[in-house]
Amino acid sequence: MPVRQFPHEKKNFKAESDTITAISTPPGEGGIGIVRLSGNNSFKIADKLFVGKTLPSQMKSHTVCFGKLMDTTSNGLLDEVLVTVLRSPNSYTCEDMVEISCHGGGLVLSKILEQTLTCGARLANPGEFTLRAFLNGRIDLAQAEAVVDIIRAKTDSSLKVALQNLEGKLSKKLNHCRERLIDILAEIELGVDFIEEDVEELDRKKITKKITELEIDIKNLLDSYVEGRILREGLNVVIVGSPNVGKSSLLNALLGKDRAIVTPIPGTTRDTIEEFINIRGILVRLVDTAGFHISKNKIELEGIRRAKVEIDKADLVVWVVDLSKKLSDNERKLEELISKYKYLVALNKIDIASSRTVKKMLAEFKKRDVMRISALQSIGIKKLRDFIISSFIGKTKSENNLIISNLRHKQLLEKSLENLRRAKESLTRDMSPEFVALDLRMALDSIGEIVGKVVTDDILNRIFSKFCVGK
Ligand SMILES: Nc1nc2c(ncn2[C@@H]2O[C@H](COP(=O)(O)OP(=O)(O)OP(=O)(O)O)[C@@H](O)[C@H]2O)c(=O)[nH]1
Ligand SMILES: [Mg+2]
């Protein structure tokens, strides 16, 4: 029995057929610049502007021709260019496309763009080339989103996750989940049909088992989100502690340069200091903060307020403790404050601490994650760096180490899990198969929304508004 049609099946959305144009290279001067055309009239428009050995409309797909680009009004030369022709369906958008590579100057590019507009093209909206690739079925929505991630990638690891998504590995997994759900739905709907004839009862146990298997797979994917988000956006680490314990020294040691002022005077750092480092391909945002203590001084109070704001945003709090001093009441208060966050204790100044004090401190922090370091002499810093990364990365259990890194995907997977849970509940409560099917269909819709099997204008607007014009 076929599964019913859904209200927003993608086939209701079609790419517009008009021809769009945009400058696809970034603003500013460059070696080359590219103006792109996509749509039915791309070749006709290019023919009007280009003078070369062959007219673009006569060129073979995926070939390049050198020639002159002319101003149609004055008949004057605009630039010497290379024209690339890509014929439908073998192009980025699946439509006929022309790419005009000219010299990379702002004025030349805008004049060529103007000419394509004069000859009948329309200025493309942000991401419209990619939107067309999606609507024409070359890529799905998760792949389209990966395009933005590739453009924005700042580290090897974020690029790797984005490429994995562009290749369609995530989509394949999600489509497989959908197929499994459709099979379960078919089984249930068969049961619904037979119910009146009293022929076959629904095998509730078997169906529950299948749903549970699906839940595990989706849960594993969901669990990869923290790692995915960190790979994509980086890790937020904030360094906190009492005055003079060596926070700024630790920031400098981690950075490998003298960024923050270090002095023996408590209260040296008043504001938060932000720096970025790359640890094993992961972008890490490090924040040094003002020493935490009770104060009436307005500047210090503001510094401490800012430190609290940073703690709230942190993935990891590094609490620096001075091994040469006893733990103060202030420090116990600070631990109370950070205890709801993920934190690690960095016992600093190991170079001047006696082994007795070290032992005592280790006993004090028995159940916490503890590292012994000397920020001044760079002892234990490499270990600390490794620890920071390995607390977050490499923990994914999903099949083929698939990682989700997009908040939209995470929220939709959570929604689908919730509906699977409801379906199981309806099964155990012996509720009518229609109820079970309803929940399963909602779970199916949520997964479908990730890959774009189910879409609305709103979803598309939200996704493609993040693109730049020309992509
Ligand atoms: N012996 C030793 N001294 C250190 C170490 N780390 C920091 N210090 C010294 O401790 C003092 C304070 O260091 P800072 O890095 O400014 O400490 P801070 O926590 O940033 O201090 P505030 O900004 O005032 O809160 C300086 O004299 C540093 O040289 C260490 O590992 N060993
Ligand atoms: Mg400091």
Side-chain angles (χ1 to χ4, degrees), residues 243-249 263-264 266-269 291 348-349 351 374-376:
N244 224 34
V245 291
K247 299 178 297 299
S248 302
S249 305
T263 75
T268 304
T269 312
N348 190 31
K349 309 196 186 178
D351 53 305
S374 165
L376 188 70

Side-chain angles (χ1 to χ4, degrees), residues 280 316 342-344 369-371 381-392:
R280 300 208 323 243
L316 178 72
K342 190 176 168 72
Y343 73 97
L344 93 93
D369 287 321
V370 179
M371 311 278 321
I381 301 301
K382 191 182 167 298
K383 231 175 163 181
L384 177 62
R385 275 189 207 195
D386 285 345
F387 184 89
I388 290 173
I389 296 301
S390 52
S391 337
F392 294 93

Side-chain angles (χ1 to χ4, degrees), residues 372-429:
R372 281 167 277 177
I373 60 163
S374 165
L376 188 70
Q377 299 194 1
S378 265
I379 301 170
I381 301 301
K382 191 182 167 298
K383 231 175 163 181
L384 177 62
R385 275 189 207 195
D386 285 345
F387 184 89
I388 290 173
I389 296 301
S390 52
S391 337
F392 294 93
I393 303 301
K395 301 206 175 303
T396 299
K397 277 186 284 178
S398 61
E399 204 185 335
N400 298 329
N401 289 325
L402 264 184
I403 286 175
I404 58 157
S405 61
N406 184 309
L407 182 63
R408 188 182 79 90
H409 300 175
K410 174 185 173 254
Q411 287 168 339
L412 286 166
L413 285 178
E414 279 168 349
K415 225 162 124 186
S416 74
L417 261 191
E418 174 58 20
N419 284 310
L420 290 180
R421 192 192 57 74
R422 279 209 203 125
K424 268 176 41 176
E425 203 175 285
S426 306
L427 278 166
T428 44
R429 284 221 213 128

Side-chain angles (χ1 to χ4, degrees), residues 256-272:
K257 66 176 181 190
D258 273 340
R259 166 66 178 85
I261 300 174
V262 169
T263 75
I265 308 159
T268 304
T269 312
R270 300 247 169 148
D271 204 346
T272 48

